[in-house]
């Protein structure tokens, strides 16, 4: 009798053990906690915090951590890529974007730090929480020059001389417009050297006029008309505005910088320059001004000081202030787009407890039932033979995680397989299905 009781207890123990951990003790990627390690203190870079995982092989947590950090780096860069591309640009090119940045990932990570680790998924994976500082500027350049994903027109600054008075400073041998042009040329040079795309008003129109369909509309656009467009003055009496002038402007420029020299004055041996500089977003969102700086500089000379030389020095002083206070705001705006929720984000579907034949059936069904908004990419069955089995399916989708989970449940039901309620965590891209 005792032997039967012992045998019964042993069977019960085996049964409980085979069931694995309870839901309360089943740790997933969202259970990995950490803290941001960096501050976003420059417009050239973004701070991104991500979670990632890697299989623990041969009980080596160190190797798993290295692999997880590599995956996290790719996630961080991909997040910034999605911030600076539209849904159309990203969805049409995510394959080549992935391939390119995986090969060059270290060029775009300025700093990284793991701030949290934890074993997850029945201790089969190591999950990490990592903080990154990612170079947004370098990513924009790569997307433009190497991958040709970003049309340079979407990151164009058009420099516009805004002074209508164009007053002549005869005693100095220059005009106010000359000072404005000098400042704008320096701004263009600085932005172009950073890998962005900055041209002046005349060249912007010339480029657009190369398109025969646009030439007729643009060849007679005056500076005043252009400035009215910048300032959203839709004068319906003018045929240009009534025939889609705003859309033309949006094709010409994303950011417009206006420089207006208000005065150049000299009192005894002191010369002063006062100007305002404004940057306006013409292409998305609410549009309008997003940065404005009033600059005042002065130089003290002597009776023999050359006025032109003093003005040149004032221009240099003015641009030094522009570069410090104003240009960073322009760079940040040029590297941003209207964020879309229709980008195809990478998801990992974790399937636990399914047999090899069931996994094959699931894989075939995923391949057959994929749609434009839910795309099956690949799978990983390295842990198929362990018990309970664990297989990863890789997807791209622009659906919410909850909608994607429902799609997966419907797919399993359609082939006679059933799962417990999937584990879905807000803001995470891992969805876990455990076989009933």
């Amino acid at each position: 009798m005792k032997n039967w009781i012992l045998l019964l207890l042993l069977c019960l123990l085996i049964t409980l053990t085979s069931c694995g951990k309870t839901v309360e003790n089943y740790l997933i990627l969202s259970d990995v906690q950490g803290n941001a390690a960096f501050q976003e203190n420059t417009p050239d870079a973004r701070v991104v915090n991500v979670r990632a995982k890697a299989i623990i092989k041969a009980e080596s947590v160190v190797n798993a951590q290295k692999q997880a950090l590599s995956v996290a780096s790719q996630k961080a860069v991909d997040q910034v890529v999605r911030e600076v591309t539209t849904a159309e640009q990203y969805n049409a090119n995510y394959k080549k974007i992935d391939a390119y940045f995986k090969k060059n990932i270290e060029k775009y990570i300025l700093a990284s730090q793991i701030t949290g680790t934890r074993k997850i998924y029945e201790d089969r994976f190591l999950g990490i929480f990592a903080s990154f500082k990612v170079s947004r500027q370098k990513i924009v350049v790569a997307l433009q020059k190497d991958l040709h994903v970003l049309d340079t027109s979407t990151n164009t600054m058009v420099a516009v001389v805004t002074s209508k008075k164009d007053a002549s400073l005869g005693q100095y041998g220059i005009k106010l417009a000359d000072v404005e042009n000098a400042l704008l040329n320096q701004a263009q040079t600085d932005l172009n050297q950073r890998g962005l795309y900055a041209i002046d008003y005349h060249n912007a129109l010339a480029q657009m006029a190369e398109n025969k369909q646009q030439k007729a509309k643009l060849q007679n656009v005056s500076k005043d008309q252009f400035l009215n467009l910048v300032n959203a003055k839709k004068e319906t009496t003018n045929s240009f505005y009534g025939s889609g002038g705003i859309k033309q402007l949006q094709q010409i420029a994303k950011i417009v910088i206006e420089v207006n020299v208000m005065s150049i004055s000299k009192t005894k041996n002191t010369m002063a320059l006062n100007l305002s500089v404004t940057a306006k977003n013409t292409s998305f969102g609410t549009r309008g001004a997003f940065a404005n700086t009033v600059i005042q500089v002065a130089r003290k000379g002597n009776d023999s000081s050359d006025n032109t030389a003093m003005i040149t020095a004032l221009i240099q002083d003015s641009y030094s202030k522009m570069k410090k206070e104003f240009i960073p705001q322009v760079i940040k705006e040029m590297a941003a787009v209207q964020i879309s929720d229709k980008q195809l984000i990478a998801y990992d579907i974790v399937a636990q407890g399914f047999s090899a034949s069931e996994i094959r059936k699931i894989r075939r069904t995923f391949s057959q039932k994929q749609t434009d908004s839910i795309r099956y990419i690949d799978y990983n069955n390295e842990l198929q033979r362990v018990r309970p089995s664990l297989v990863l399916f890789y997807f791209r989708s622009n659906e919410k995680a909850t909608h994607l989970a429902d799609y997966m449940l419907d797919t399993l039901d359609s082939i006679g397989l059933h799962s417990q309620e999937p584990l879905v965590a807000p803001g995470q891209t891992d969805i876990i299905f455990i076989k009933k």
Side-chain angles (χ1 to χ4, degrees), residues 82-94:
R82 288 189 284 110
E83 289 177 359
V84 299
T85 55
T86 64
E88 292 76 16
Q89 291 167 336
Y90 183 81
N91 294 348
N93 297 283
Y94 67 81

Side-chain angles (χ1 to χ4, degrees), residues 162 183-184 187 256-262 274-280 289 291-295 318-319 321-323 325-327 329-330:
T162 62
L183 290 165
L184 288 168
V256 174
I257 292 179
E258 304 176 35
V259 174
N260 186 14
V261 175
M262 294 179 284
N274 298 288
L275 64 92
S276 67
V277 57
T278 304
K280 296 185 178 182
N292 177 261
T293 302
V294 176
I295 296 173
S318 298
Y319 188 72
K321 286 194 172 185
M322 277 180 62
K323 188 172 183 178
E325 303 170 12
F326 180 80
I327 293 298
Q329 297 178 69
V330 176

Side-chain angles (χ1 to χ4, degrees), residues 1 48-49 58 64 82 85 96 102 152 186-187 189 203 237 242 250 283 285 293 310 324 340 346 360 387 412 422:
M1 185 67 178
V48 181
N49 302 304
R82 288 189 284 110
T85 55
K96 73 175 183 180
K102 281 180 182 177
T152 52
Q186 289 191 61
T189 301
N203 287 330
T237 55
Q250 291 170 353
S283 60
T293 302
M310 289 184 71
K324 182 179 179 181
S340 169
R360 285 194 297 272
R387 291 293 177 268
L412 292 176

Side-chain angles (χ1 to χ4, degrees), residues 385-424:
R385 296 184 179 181
V386 300
R387 291 293 177 268
S389 65
L390 198 151
V391 175
L392 299 178
F393 293 96
Y394 304 120
F395 278 80
R396 286 272 182 173
S397 177
N398 55 23
E399 300 285 351
K400 292 181 179 179
T402 51
H403 293 169
L404 186 58
D406 289 340
Y407 166 86
M408 298 299 169
L409 282 176
D410 291 342
T411 301
L412 292 176
D413 289 342
S414 71
I415 55 177
L417 298 176
H418 304 287
S419 163
Q420 298 177 29
E421 187 66 19
L423 302 178
V424 183

